Amino acid sequence: MEKKGRKIFKVFVKFLFMLIGAAMAAVALEIFLIPNSVIDGGVTGISIMSSYLTGLPLGLFIFILNIPFLIIGYKHIGKTFTISTLFSVTALSIIVSFLEPINSITNDTLLASVFGGILLGIGIGLIMRNGGCSDGTEIIAIILDKRTGFSIGEVVMIINIFILSSAGILFGWDRAMYSMVTYFIAFKLIDITVEGLDESKAVLIITNRSQDITDALLARLGRGVTLLDGKGGYTNTPTNVLYVIVSRLEISKLKSIVSDFDKNALITIGHVEVSGKSYKKKSIH
């Protein structure tokens, strides 16, 4: 029973954060972006333009235009994802409709674009971090990512280029450019919200000063290092390779530490997902 209770609580928290994310996205749209003729990309952008042309409520278009994508998502991605996305889209539609009569808090288009992009990115990021999405184009991007050589980000960007170009024709090219500012800010904030500031990075360091750098990383970063034996493919000369996992915020300091000992060291950095107690930082004396 206790295990079932924890599971129910976990699901509740998940949907609560998706609701908060939808509310933040709705505030970004209705309080910052739409009153200043700045739009979002994807189905939301199409909905904004459709609402502008017809005079019908934005929330209605957001819900109706996402339905075909939800059906596709159910068939190709799964039931849990579709339920989470349906909840997020419905919440966004309702909250947008509730906020529609409220006036913008700023008439400065640049400020609206920046702060709207920040709120929108964090809101969508919260939804995605908890297993859903707020826009049908993301569903198409996920499916195409599995079947083509294009990444999710590339597919979404291609779609949004066409949508934002249409916004230029409808609202003016300056508004389309402000919309691009919003899009890139939101895109970055989505990444930070989903991955977190503490996103893990795997670092490989090829150097002749392996022991000095290992000691310095442990003393100054509190990170343990795994030493690998390597050999130059061209020279056949034995060399040392250091493998260490750090957070996104520690990358700059790591580079500085390595440079202090070996300015010619080769450093490669990649994103990884980490589990296990051995990853925890050691105390720095």
Side-chain angles (χ1 to χ4, degrees):
M1 183 65 72
E2 185 180 343
K3 186 177 180 181
K4 185 178 180 181
R6 286 200 301 267
K7 186 176 181 181
I8 292 172
F9 178 75
K10 188 176 180 181
V11 172
F12 171 77
V13 170
K14 168 184 169 181
F15 279 91
L16 176 62
F17 275 109
M18 286 194 288
L19 179 61
I20 294 170
M24 293 181 71
V27 169
L29 291 170
E30 287 292 350
I31 307 301
F32 288 96
L33 301 179
I34 295 174
N36 290 283
S37 299
V38 178
I39 75 166
D40 186 20
V43 172
T44 304
I46 297 172
S47 299
I48 292 170
M49 290 187 284
S50 300
S51 176
Y52 176 81
L53 291 171
T54 64
L56 294 174
L58 172 61
L60 179 65
F61 280 108
I62 289 176
F63 184 78
I64 290 176
L65 293 181
N66 272 298
I67 289 176
F69 298 101
L70 288 168
I71 295 171
I72 294 170
Y74 181 79
K75 291 180 178 179
H76 294 276
I77 301 176
K79 181 180 178 181
T80 302
F81 173 81
T82 305
I83 291 173
S84 298
T85 301
L86 176 61
F87 174 83
S88 302
V89 169
T90 303
L92 179 61
S93 302
I94 293 171
I95 300 172
V96 159
S97 299
F98 178 76
L99 294 176
E100 194 167 357
I102 301 176
N103 295 324
S104 173
I105 63 174
T106 178
N107 294 319
D108 187 311
T109 310
L110 181 58
L111 281 177
S113 302
V114 172
F115 282 93
I118 291 171
L119 278 174
L120 190 65
I122 296 174
I124 295 174
L126 283 174
I127 292 171
M128 294 178 68
R129 183 163 184 159
N130 288 278
C133 74
S134 61
D135 196 285
T137 54
E138 294 162 15
I139 295 174
I140 297 300
I142 291 169
I143 295 171
L144 290 178
D145 174 57
K146 295 177 180 179
R147 300 186 177 185
T148 68
F150 294 103
S151 69
I152 294 173
E154 288 170 340
V155 174
V156 171
M157 182 170 288
I158 291 169
I159 293 171
N160 284 337
I161 287 173
F162 286 104
I163 293 170
L164 295 178
S165 297
S166 301
I169 297 171
L170 191 60
F171 298 115
W173 292 109
D174 61 333
R175 302 297 164 168
M177 288 185 278
Y178 280 120
S179 298
M180 287 295 292
V181 171
T182 297
Y183 170 72
F184 284 115
I185 292 172
F187 187 83
K188 190 61 180 176
L189 264 295
I190 289 170
D191 175 54
I192 291 173
T193 305
V194 172
E195 301 293 347
L197 286 172
D198 201 37
E199 176 188 359
S200 298
K201 299 288 185 179
V203 183
L204 286 173
I205 306 165
I206 301 175
T207 176
N208 293 322
R209 301 285 302 277
S210 58
Q211 193 58 55
D212 292 330
I213 294 174
T214 296
D215 294 340
L217 290 175
L218 180 59
R220 293 162 61 180
L221 271 186
R223 295 294 186 184
V225 179
T226 299
L227 297 175
L228 307 174
D229 293 325
K231 185 167 69 172
Y234 178 72
T235 62
N236 284 325
T237 303
T239 187
N240 297 118
V241 181
L242 280 60
Y243 180 78
V244 59
I245 298 173
V246 297
S247 73
R248 180 206 300 259
L249 300 179
E250 292 172 323
I251 289 294
S252 178
K253 188 172 181 180
L254 178 142
K255 290 180 178 178
S256 176
I257 291 171
V258 173
S259 180
D260 287 345
F261 292 95
D262 185 358
K263 296 187 182 301
N264 295 317
L266 177 65
I267 302 174
T268 63
I269 302 168
H271 169 69
V272 290
E273 292 186 14
V274 181
S275 63
K277 294 182 179 179
S278 59
Y279 170 61
K280 291 182 179 180
K281 289 188 69 168
K282 299 169 178 59
S283 58
I284 302 173
H285 301 290

